Amino acid sequence: MSVTCQMLSVILYPLQTAAISYDYFTSLRSIPYGSEEYLQLRSKVHLRSARRLCELCCANRGTFIKVGQHLGALDYLLPEEYTSTLKVLHSQAPQSSMQEVRQVIREDLGKELHDLFLSFDDTPLGAASLAQVHKAVLHDGRTVAVKVQHPKVQAQSSKDILLMEVLVLAVKQLFPEFEFMWLVDEAKKNLPLELDFLNEGRNAEKVAQMLQHFDFLKVPRIYWELSTKRVLLMEFVEGGQVNDRDYMERNKIDVNEISRHLGKMYSEMIFVNGFVHCDPHPGNVLVRKHPGTGKVEIILLDHGLYQVLTEAFRLDYCHLWQSLIWTDMEKVKMYSQCLGAGELYPLFACMLTARSWVSVNRGISHAPVTAAEDSEIRNNAANYLPQISQLLNHIPRQMLLILKTNDLLRSIEASLGTRASASSFLNMSRCCIRALAEHKKKTTGSFFRRTQISFSEAFSLWQITIYELILRVKGLRLTSWVSTLLCWLFPAPH
């Protein structure tokens, strides 16, 4: 991008933002707040603003599309007009031309397409912020997915970060209470890793080995002989996006089973291993029934962005979630403060759980999410922006990607209608118990003490299993009562 274009981008981004703000101000100022006319007009303004944002992301590509993808996944927080408009960025971002694809492959692999592949589909399976994926067949008959980096994205990314830094400094001048420099620091650290496809391949193999005991998880195999920093060759695996309920209904896939599997997988990554896939937007998580066995599988794609958690952080985070699940408010405060939340620990707990403070105090594993609570969170989020900004600036950097991952997983649960089930909290608790017990066993030299810890761990896990069984029996009993009541109210005709 030339210097002129770069300057135009710096100017146009604030102008777009100003246009959106002006639209809200002028369109809604004379309408009585909360009236039917106000709500209808607000929906139209939301839609216009969302389209402007989407156009802005597509025009600037790269980092801007990544931001748009994240916003498109915040179903529980942003208005539906924004999330539905920005969701296209998960797999339908702007594409590189076939000429550009051939150029990248020629430069990196030293051969033309016809020398490497028997066939190569011109239309990509999906296009994202940094790359696009094509289906191809090798000369030996193997069907593969070829991930090709957009040719200008390497040079563009440094300019995107510079632009982001300029905007963050401008916001800081206008609104001193907002601290967003952490956003620039994270982009500087993570973008180079995401742009190195060899790093992505290594991450894919590591997580596949780490979670090999989960027979429902499929991580496509990497073909290293035809992979470079800008081209990644993988086993081709088909499936539907994890938020596509129509696909699941057609293929008789149980959404609750998918939600449980996702919860187990991410609890294991976060609490037990401390190696976390941090980009689980719906374009990167597919589902299918295995062609051979018919078992449900989750296909995990795009392994460029992982967060490695330090042991101290991981253990504090385990303790915090245990406290949240079992409603130990003293420990919620203590471990939130250990993780840098200070006196903003109530806000931190609400951000982690996406629940109101009232629900956190009642017990997040006991009270299901209601439409009223969702609406309350959406309506109040803007009121706490300065405090949220302050909090994000003080918590450990490891937490930032974990919060992003939580947002994306919660978005999937919201689209599947499986948010905040007791089962998911119990699976998290199991992983926390295992992780904390393993740490205690590692740090003691006494065989008797290790045995004692093992028994305590087994007893705690047994208690959770019994509790889960009681919940299931209660659920079955309720189903039976409802069925009996319906039969009594509506007897079958003779």
Side-chain angles (χ1 to χ4, degrees):
M1 184 189 278
S2 67
V3 175
T4 307
C5 289
Q6 192 176 331
M7 290 303 295
L8 278 173
S9 290
V10 173
I11 294 165
L12 286 174
Y13 184 86
L15 284 178
Q16 278 278 35
T17 309
I20 290 170
S21 302
Y22 183 75
D23 193 1
Y24 275 100
F25 178 71
T26 55
S27 301
L28 300 174
R29 64 179 174 178
S30 59
I31 312 295
Y33 179 79
S35 66
E36 188 66 31
E37 184 187 1
Y38 178 90
L39 295 175
Q40 288 178 359
L41 191 56
R42 186 179 66 178
S43 178
K44 289 177 183 176
V45 178
H46 280 338
L47 191 58
R48 284 200 299 269
S49 302
R51 284 172 179 162
R52 284 191 183 110
L53 270 181
C54 193
E55 287 165 10
L56 177 72
C57 292
C58 290
N60 285 281
R61 299 195 175 195
T63 311
F64 288 86
I65 287 177
K66 293 199 80 64
V67 173
Q69 285 174 340
H70 190 192
L71 292 174
L74 299 180
D75 300 81
Y76 69 95
L77 191 59
L78 295 180
E80 193 270 338
E81 293 86 352
Y82 278 89
T83 55
S84 61
T85 302
L86 294 170
K87 268 182 171 61
V88 298
L89 299 175
H90 288 148
S91 57
Q92 298 170 41
Q95 301 173 7
S96 294
S97 67
M98 270 309 295
Q99 183 182 350
E100 290 172 318
V101 169
R102 286 192 184 93
Q103 178 191 341
V104 172
I105 288 175
R106 189 186 307 119
E107 287 173 359
D108 278 40
L109 295 173
K111 292 183 179 179
E112 298 296 333
L113 277 183
H114 63 264
D115 295 323
L116 295 165
F117 305 103
L118 191 63
S119 67
F120 189 98
D121 290 359
D122 287 359
T123 305
L125 296 166
S129 53
L130 306 180
Q132 62 193 50
V133 179
H134 294 259
K135 184 180 179 182
V137 179
L138 295 172
H139 286 289
D140 62 9
R142 285 178 295 173
T143 303
V144 293
V146 187
K147 183 173 181 177
V148 184
Q149 196 171 107
H150 299 310
K152 297 171 187 171
V153 79
Q154 292 268 6
Q156 180 69 36
S157 63
S158 57
K159 295 180 176 70
D160 286 346
I161 291 171
L162 176 63
L163 171 57
M164 199 184 294
E165 195 160 4
V166 169
L167 292 171
V168 164
L169 289 171
V171 169
K172 176 69 176 168
Q173 289 299 314
L174 293 169
F175 307 103
E177 70 272 24
F178 286 98
E179 287 282 356
F180 286 115
M181 193 51 72
W182 56 266
L183 190 62
V184 177
D185 295 337
E186 285 301 292
K188 282 179 180 175
K189 183 185 78 175
N190 294 322
L191 257 180
L193 295 173
E194 291 188 81
L195 290 168
D196 181 358
F197 288 176
L198 295 177
N199 173 64
E200 178 176 341
R202 289 190 291 270
N203 286 341
E205 290 193 339
K206 180 174 178 177
V207 82
Q209 175 67 24
M210 190 175 85
L211 302 180
Q212 61 181 317
H213 55 288
F214 288 144
D215 60 357
F216 59 79
L217 175 63
K218 174 69 179 173
V219 178
R221 181 184 164 197
I222 306 297
Y223 297 121
W224 290 107
E225 66 274 16
L226 290 173
S227 294
T228 69
K229 283 196 169 191
R230 294 194 299 167
V231 179
L232 190 65
L233 215 70
M234 300 164 280
E235 172 188 5
F236 177 75
V237 187
E238 280 187 292
Q241 285 196 2
V242 71
N243 62 344
D244 188 345
R245 293 197 68 156
D246 291 338
Y247 173 88
M248 294 196 208
E249 283 173 17
R250 286 197 308 273
N251 290 274
K252 296 182 172 56
I253 295 173
D254 181 5
V255 294
N256 292 301
E257 185 180 2
I258 292 297
S259 189
R260 281 196 302 273
H261 286 342
L262 266 178
K264 284 180 185 176
M265 195 168 83
Y266 268 88
S267 292
E268 192 88 9
M269 283 192 223
I270 294 169
F271 300 116
V272 178
N273 295 289
F275 184 69
V276 190
H277 180 288
C278 288
D279 205 10
H281 69 67
N284 290 340
V285 185
L286 307 182
V287 295
R288 70 165 185 175
K289 279 197 171 178
H290 189 280
T293 63
K295 285 186 176 179
V296 170
E297 283 187 331
I298 290 176
I299 304 155
L300 194 59
L301 306 174
D302 197 345
H303 300 269
L305 185 60
Y306 272 74
Q307 179 68 67
V308 179
L309 307 180
T310 64
E311 187 166 67
F313 175 93
R314 183 172 59 85
L315 295 173
D316 282 341
Y317 196 60
C318 281
H319 281 299
L320 175 56
W321 267 106
Q322 282 285 74
S323 308
L324 286 164
I325 290 166
W326 302 111
T327 326
D328 185 339
M329 299 313 294
E330 279 301 311
K331 286 188 177 176
V332 166
K333 179 179 179 179
M334 182 173 82
Y335 286 109
S336 294
Q337 291 180 337
C338 285
L339 290 167
E343 291 309 307
L344 291 173
Y345 72 91
L347 176 62
F348 185 53
C350 293
M351 286 171 65
L352 270 183
T353 57
R355 303 295 301 271
S356 68
W357 183 236
V358 172
S359 293
V360 171
N361 276 278
R362 278 187 194 151
I364 55 171
S365 58
H366 303 133
V369 183
T370 62
E373 185 180 0
D374 264 344
S375 177
E376 180 194 339
I377 290 169
R378 276 198 186 94
N379 294 335
N380 290 337
N383 299 332
Y384 291 98
L385 277 178
Q387 292 91 334
I388 291 170
S389 167
Q390 184 186 341
L391 182 61
L392 294 175
N393 205 45
H394 285 94
I395 56 177
R397 290 289 172 260
Q398 299 165 79
M399 181 59 77
L400 297 173
L401 279 180
I402 295 296
L403 286 170
K404 177 199 171 189
T405 305
N406 283 351
D407 286 343
L408 292 170
L409 290 172
R410 227 169 261 127
S411 165
I412 291 171
E413 288 178 342
S415 63
L416 296 179
T418 58
R419 270 191 66 197
S421 67
S423 174
S424 65
F425 288 125
L426 293 176
N427 281 326
M428 287 172 72
S429 193
R430 282 191 181 98
C431 284
C432 291
I433 288 166
R434 283 171 47 214
L436 294 169
E438 189 60 36
H439 173 71
K440 287 175 186 173
K441 282 186 274 190
K442 268 197 324 187
T443 53
T444 184
S446 162
F447 173 77
F448 175 74
R449 179 68 184 131
R450 283 199 299 272
T451 306
Q452 196 178 29
I453 293 165
S454 294
F455 273 117
S456 176
E457 175 190 4
F459 181 68
S460 296
L461 293 173
W462 176 79
Q463 281 181 306
I464 289 176
T465 302
I466 295 297
Y467 181 62
E468 192 171 34
L469 186 63
I470 290 167
L471 289 178
R472 283 183 184 173
V473 168
K474 280 183 178 177
L476 289 171
R477 190 180 298 164
L478 179 62
T479 304
S480 173
W481 287 343
V482 170
S483 177
T484 305
L485 180 62
L486 287 172
C487 288
W488 180 70
L489 289 173
F490 307 104
H494 292 291

